[in-house]
Structure formats: structure tokens, C-alpha cells
Amino acid sequence: MKKILIFIIFIFLSGCSGKKYLGSIESCPKVFFSKEDKIYIASNENEITFENIAYRAYINNFAFESKCYLEDNILSTTISLLFILEPNDDASIEVFLPYYIATINSNDELIDVDYYQALGKFRKDSDNLYFVETELTDTNAIKIKNIDSSSGKKNSLVIGFMLDDEKN
């Protein structure tokens, strides 16, 4: 009877371990910033002019916050993006940055696009209470196809802002 009880406890404890199979560790994909969509301009007006720009945002840098894990040709990781925000005179404290992370193959063909938004607030200068240049980070878990089936080569990521015609 003791042997059966020990066996049941052993099965129970081994089934409840905190370890999860994450697949194999793989090199993370190359990341590029879109040349055309690297700057975001916001305005409090419908039509954007040089006089009514509220703030500008730049995609500055990225980092993989975790290792890249591969399972069934799907690469999973967490990516963190750094945005630099520059206020103008009529900037509001709230910041909204719509951006995308696109997966492309070795022939620069689009495979997939995921859309995100970074939300934040401008910092204020303690002396004169004006808004000052602010850093904003946004972190997201991503999953992409690792190897393109047509070329057999590793896919890459492209990051940029979602812009309409007036913000290009």
C-alpha cells in the first residue's frame, strides 16, 4: 500500500512541475527599421502643417528581452522597442504611437504583419514645467515563422510606424 501511495505522489509531483517545454533555443531574427516609416508626427489638427505639429516620435532601438525559442518552425520571443519623443509647443501630455512589426523573407517579400500601439506620457521639466524629450519603451511577445518555405532561409523583422498620407 505504501508503494502505491508513493507512486501516486511521485506522479502527482512530476506532473505539476513548473517547467514547460519551450522548444530549442534558436538565433533571433535580424531586425530592420523601415526607412520610410521611422518617424511619427502627431498633430492636434486634422491637417498637419509645420505650425501645428504636437510631437515627433522616432524608433530608436530594440532588444530581445528573452531568448528566441523554436518549435515547429515558429520562433517565439519578447521584443522591446525604444521610442524617442520630442514635444512641440502645443503637445498634449498623452502619447499614442501606432506601429507594426512585419515578417519578411530573404527576397524582401511580406509574410506577415502584426500591429501594436505604444501609449505613454511626456515628462515635464521640473523648473519650468515644459514637456521635455522623453523615452518610451514598449514590449511585446511575438511569434513568427523562422524559415521561409520557398527559399529555405531565415526570415527577418521590419519595424515601422503606421502612417497615413499626411504623416509620410
Side-chain angles (χ1 to χ4, degrees):
M1 184 67 169
K2 276 186 173 180
K3 291 181 182 181
I4 293 174
L5 183 60
I6 291 173
F7 180 73
I8 291 173
I9 291 172
F10 175 75
I11 296 292
F12 177 73
L13 291 177
S14 66
C16 294
S17 69
K19 295 181 182 179
K20 293 182 180 177
Y21 178 72
L22 295 173
S24 61
I25 295 175
E26 175 75 21
S27 63
C28 292
K30 290 182 182 178
V31 176
F32 302 99
F33 297 124
S34 171
K35 182 179 172 184
E36 298 168 350
D37 302 332
K38 193 174 179 180
I39 300 172
Y40 183 80
I41 298 172
S43 174
N44 298 327
E45 306 291 328
N46 288 336
E47 187 175 322
I48 298 175
T49 65
F50 286 115
E51 291 79 33
N52 66 14
I53 294 174
Y55 62 88
R56 290 177 187 84
Y58 303 90
I59 301 173
N60 183 270
N61 209 345
F62 78 96
F64 289 109
E65 295 290 317
S66 62
K67 294 179 180 177
C68 293
Y69 295 97
L70 180 66
E71 186 172 3
D72 297 329
N73 198 35
I74 301 296
L75 200 61
S76 303
T77 189
T78 303
I79 191 168
S80 183
L81 302 176
L82 174 64
F83 301 100
I84 304 297
L85 311 172
E86 293 179 352
N88 276 9
D89 293 338
D90 60 346
S92 62
I93 194 166
E94 301 289 327
V95 175
F96 168 76
L97 302 175
Y99 67 94
Y100 63 87
I101 300 177
T103 305
I104 60 170
N105 65 16
S106 60
N107 298 324
D108 293 336
E109 296 169 329
L110 183 65
I111 295 173
D112 188 33
V113 181
D114 292 314
Y115 300 98
Y116 303 92
Q117 60 186 7
L119 303 172
K121 295 181 178 183
F122 274 107
R123 288 184 305 119
K124 286 187 175 185
D125 185 327
S126 59
D127 294 335
N128 56 24
L129 300 179
Y130 290 120
F131 294 131
V132 295
E133 184 176 275
T134 303
E135 293 180 354
L136 174 66
T137 54
D138 195 48
T139 303
N140 291 290
I142 60 170
K143 291 185 178 190
I144 67 165
K145 286 178 97 176
N146 186 43
I147 303 293
D148 181 45
S149 56
S150 61
S151 69
K153 295 183 180 176
K154 194 168 183 74
N155 292 323
S156 302
L157 298 176
V158 176
I159 301 170
F161 287 114
M162 293 185 299
L163 305 175
D164 55 30
D165 290 336
E166 290 150 4
K167 294 181 182 177
N168 272 333

